[in-house]
Amino acid sequence: MKSWAQVYIPPIDSDIPFPQLSLYNSATESNESLPKKSFYQMYVCGITPYDATHLGHAATYITFDLINRYLRATGAQVDFVQNITDIDDPLFERAKRDNVDWSELATSQIELFRGDMVDLHIIPPKDYIGVVEAIPMIIESISKIKTSAPTYVVDSDLYFEVHSDSDFGKRSHLSDPEMLEIFAQRGGDPSRVGKRDPLDVLLWLHQREGEPGWDSPFGKGRPGWHIECSAIALHYLDDGLDKQYSIDIQGGGSDLIFPHHEMSAAQSKAISGKEFARSYVHTGMIGLDGEKMSKSKGNLLFVSKMVNEGISPMAIRLALIAQHYSVDRMWTQSLLDDAVELLEKLTIALSREEVAPTKPVIVEMINALSNNLDTSTALEALSSWSDKTLEGSMGGEAGELSRAIDSLLGIAI
Ligand code: ZN
């Protein structure tokens, strides 16, 4: 599927050292430095295109964009792939509710999403893949699982035995009762009669009335949610060179830790024989006015609507990185006001002929980002540099700092 427009990334002075990027790996529950490599593979789970792009989506994709930017700034290549879950129950349910064709609804939301990503300066993925176009590779992946791991059929639907993966559950650190509860809440079917284990996951669903279906060796139907990402990630990213991991980074919101990323990893391991990702990185949820932002509460804030109302996408980006990516946090008017204020202060300071020394603040920013994307420390450094400049400090080069802010934080001033 067509990705979105390329974002310009200015160069950073080559003599500035970059520490190895350390990220919190939720599978090992610790901060780990990524190994030094000349290229990295990153897969970030995309949207289900019925409701794009709310602030929670934006916060997630900005976070992985920061990782992408940091790794590129070190001189490495980043192969970044993202999917679009354009076959899934929530999409069909929304299309039915609104009496629209599901594929037209998906097309319109994907277009909206692309525009939002451009506005937010997110570097586009190398491959942006919809499930509809990935059906052949998904069928191939399921066929591989059928030969390497136990699967079975319940009323013409094909299931994978998740506990055949000896590491099942180790990535999400949940007990079986916890998994069962979350599985039921997030699209799973633990109580379906005929399943060998309530947590077993659907690989292929036979065609239901009013839903699309594709021919396959498992009957006419459609894939389950989790196998979509396993198949796309392995097809586009695993070059077979690394014998231990298929990819470096699996990313998404913390609501994907279970079941989505646990199930995708278990299936992927059945296909490739390797652990799926070196590092599982998850972003916190964005709430509004003290409440969780969700479609059921109807309190989602959409990027396109905010931008249409005149809010600068750069201010949205800055506000979303003002606090740490991994924590659940609230969106408030004062958060946005502070971001607008900092953006204005930086713009004024950077337009001065004489500015405070810039090398030290760039180094501070790089060091903070290398430490599990400590964006608040990076922004504090920029705020204090602006204050010093406005107080008359001299000796810096504004262009150098402006390029570094754009390159590393994705904020063009
Ligand atoms: Zn996914």
Side-chain angles (χ1 to χ4, degrees), residues 43-46 83 85 225 229 250 256 260-261 264:
Y43 184 84
V44 182
C45 290
N83 72 303
T85 311
W225 172 27
C229 282
Q250 157 72 302
L256 296 185
H260 187 51
H261 287 171
S264 296

Side-chain angles (χ1 to χ4, degrees), residues 350 358 361-362 365 382 385 397-405:
L350 284 166
T358 38
V361 68
I362 295 173
M365 194 163 67
L382 289 173
W385 173 87
E397 205 260 290
E400 167 185 71
L401 179 58
S402 151
R403 286 192 295 278
I405 294 171

Side-chain angles (χ1 to χ4, degrees), residues 91-102:
L91 173 65
F92 299 145
E93 283 159 16
R94 175 62 64 94
K96 203 179 275 178
R97 187 200 78 177
D98 296 350
N99 203 21
V100 292
D101 179 74
W102 66 271

Side-chain angles (χ1 to χ4, degrees), residues 55 116 119-120 301-320 331-333 335-337 339-340 343:
L55 284 181
D116 293 338
D119 280 347
L120 292 170
L301 286 182
F302 294 96
V303 172
S304 53
K305 197 159 175 271
M306 294 168 77
V307 172
N308 285 338
E309 284 165 3
I311 300 170
S312 145
M314 290 297 96
I316 297 173
R317 185 166 172 124
L318 200 62
L320 287 171
W331 178 266
T332 60
Q333 187 58 45
L335 189 71
L336 180 62
D337 293 344
V340 169
L343 210 49

